[in-house]
Amino acid sequence: MDTVLSGIRPTGDLHLGNYFGALRNFVKMQNENNCYFFVADYHSLTTHPHPSDIQVNVKKILSQYLASGLDPEKATIYVQSDVPQVAELYMLMNMNAYIGELERTTTFKEKARQNPDNVNAGLLTYAVLMACDILMMHADKVPVGKDQEQHLEMTCKFARRFNQIYGVEYFKEPKAFNFGNNLIKVPGLDGSGKMGKSQGNGIYLIDEDKDIRKKVMKAVTDSGPTVENSPKPEVIQNLFTLMELVSTPDTVQHFDNLYNTCQIRYGDLKKQLAEDIIKAVAPVRERIKDIYNNEEYLNRVAAQGAEKAREQAAKTVAEVRHIIGFK
Ligand code: TYM
């Protein structure tokens, strides 16, 4: 049985990128694997969220996990800050991470460019903390989107380096995972690349039908193909990529044929896409409302998950301390 682990930062509601990039794959895996899914609240501290927002955001993410189909009886669902061993492993692993490689991380460079006044040490060592989440539970597979691929490569590097420094075969190298092998990037509808919270281009699991329709109808397009079988420009490919996630293969084929024969009407494609997104998202949205209001249930899930996660974490940290030489 494989160990599977993944996490999401609690910085707002979950969008289709989080859902199709990570969560949905994880839900499919929880029956046959030893699964951990957590709320990465330490990771969200790099932007100094207001203390009162942290609890609300953690509660939001937990309820959205559960509404998406995560089952606390099958998977261990926990909040990162409930597992104090993470902080200790992070400190220990920081000794083996080099400034140069951390500075070269794409996400670090991007964030540093976007917020030049907040280039803190936590941001620099973000990949180390993420590696600790994964190595702590000895995960084999990590369902994530394309944007996390480099972090997974760094996790493997840190695992190898630890093993090499101490002459052990202790940490295993995890794989970034997606069904169908290729990691995916869910595009935004504004033609700017990936869907993301900070990009402001997201369709959220809690969006009402009318909001989804409005957002999809506003998606950027072009004036349409004039030459048969011409390649699709990025903004159009983005709509097809979304369609491949939510629509039936027949529907995708239908619009693809229309595109290739220059008969496509983007308004029709968008209408269909909006309805198919609604079909995928609406049942989740209805469950979110109920679960979010059931504080007692959420507390119970988090407490149960924390207990199980701490058990494994305590074991890992004790073994790491022993390997390092603290006897
Ligand atoms: P975060 O919170 O930015 O995103 C959570 C998950 O959603 C995926 N994702 C996407 N996938 C495809 N297309 C998109 N547009 C898109 N946007 C987001 C991300 O790939 C991710 O899987 N560092 C992580 C959280 C984390 C973590 C971990 C994940 C902390 N420790 C350990 C796995 C294992 C992050 O910031 O994800």
Side-chain angles (χ1 to χ4, degrees):
M1 191 163 38
D2 281 337
T3 295
V4 180
L5 172 139
S6 202
I8 298 182
R9 276 172 306 141
T11 49
D13 292 301
L14 299 187
H15 52 69
L16 295 186
N18 303 133
Y19 185 69
F20 288 109
L23 191 48
R24 191 184 58 156
N25 285 317
F26 191 89
V27 169
K28 283 197 219 160
M29 297 168 92
Q30 64 185 343
N31 292 323
E32 286 104 49
N33 299 281
N34 175 29
C35 284
Y36 295 91
F37 212 95
F38 71 101
V39 184
D41 56 350
Y42 280 150
H43 283 273
S44 72
L45 296 183
T46 54
T47 53
H48 315 141
H50 193 277
S52 61
D53 288 341
I54 291 191
Q55 273 321 303
V56 173
N57 278 333
V58 167
K59 202 177 136 190
K60 268 189 193 170
I61 300 289
L62 268 184
S63 50
Q64 296 181 18
Y65 279 176
L66 294 162
S68 300
L70 277 194
D71 180 347
E73 299 308 319
K74 294 178 184 157
T76 302
I77 303 170
Y78 64 100
V79 180
Q80 188 184 31
S81 64
D82 280 340
V83 183
Q85 291 86 354
V86 172
E88 183 169 355
L89 188 62
Y90 173 51
M91 182 272 291
L92 297 171
M93 293 301 279
N94 266 326
M95 308 300 168
N96 310 339
Y98 293 101
I99 298 280
E101 63 191 347
L102 297 174
E103 280 174 343
R104 283 193 298 276
T105 314
T106 310
T107 45
F108 172 73
K109 286 195 291 195
E110 235 172 62
K111 295 261 154 77
R113 191 171 39 78
Q114 288 160 357
N115 299 298
D117 298 331
N118 186 28
V119 186
N120 58 62
L123 195 62
L124 182 68
T125 56
Y126 186 102
V128 183
L129 180 55
M130 180 158 162
C132 290
D133 297 324
I134 298 168
L135 299 177
M136 183 73 95
M137 302 306 176
H138 302 287
D140 301 283
K141 292 178 182 161
V142 184
V144 285
K146 183 89 183 147
D147 58 320
Q148 298 297 320
E149 193 169 34
Q150 190 183 29
H151 288 156
L152 261 293
E153 284 160 12
M154 292 176 79
T155 301
C156 292
K157 197 196 272 183
F158 296 143
R160 274 197 303 276
R161 191 176 292 152
F162 179 90
N163 291 347
Q164 197 200 352
I165 290 175
Y166 295 104
V168 289
E169 279 299 316
Y170 182 66
F171 284 129
K172 52 180 148 184
E173 296 183 33
K175 283 198 175 49
F177 182 84
N178 186 51
F179 285 103
N181 289 330
N182 291 329
L183 299 184
I184 63 167
K185 178 178 96 172
V186 177
L189 293 172
D190 53 356
S192 72
K194 83 165 183 163
M195 184 177 290
K197 274 167 264 194
S198 41
Q199 283 83 345
N201 61 3
I203 294 181
Y204 294 89
L205 298 183
I206 48 138
D207 279 349
E208 297 291 340
D209 294 355
K210 65 174 177 3
D211 300 324
I212 295 175
R213 288 195 187 101
K214 217 195 241 159
K215 287 181 182 180
V216 174
M217 293 317 284
K218 269 177 39 190
V220 179
T221 51
D222 61 9
S223 52
T226 49
V227 179
E228 293 206 347
N229 298 315
S230 52
K232 298 185 183 83
E234 194 184 354
V235 284
I236 305 305
Q237 182 53 49
N238 285 351
L239 293 177
F240 275 91
T241 302
L242 280 170
M243 202 166 225
E244 279 161 21
L245 292 169
V246 294
S247 305
T248 63
D250 284 351
T251 304
V252 180
Q253 188 67 53
H254 170 72
F255 285 100
D256 203 40
N257 289 344
L258 290 175
Y259 183 86
N260 287 331
T261 51
C262 303
Q263 299 175 70
I264 192 149
R265 294 203 327 223
Y266 291 133
D268 294 346
L269 178 145
K270 286 177 177 180
K271 266 190 210 142
Q272 179 73 45
L273 177 60
E275 294 317 307
D276 290 341
I277 291 176
I278 289 168
K279 228 183 270 165
V281 162
V284 178
R285 177 184 63 214
E286 294 313 311
R287 286 195 294 271
I288 292 173
K289 290 181 191 156
D290 287 344
I291 298 172
Y292 185 81
N293 292 320
N294 193 343
E295 192 118 1
E296 193 255 318
Y297 174 59
L298 288 175
N299 288 340
R300 192 152 30 90
V301 168
Q304 180 184 316
E307 199 179 315
K308 279 205 244 165
R310 279 197 292 257
E311 203 178 299
Q312 177 56 52
K315 185 166 178 291
T316 302
V317 167
E319 287 164 355
V320 167
R321 289 177 64 96
H322 185 83
I323 291 169
I324 286 179
F326 298 123
K327 305 267 158 78

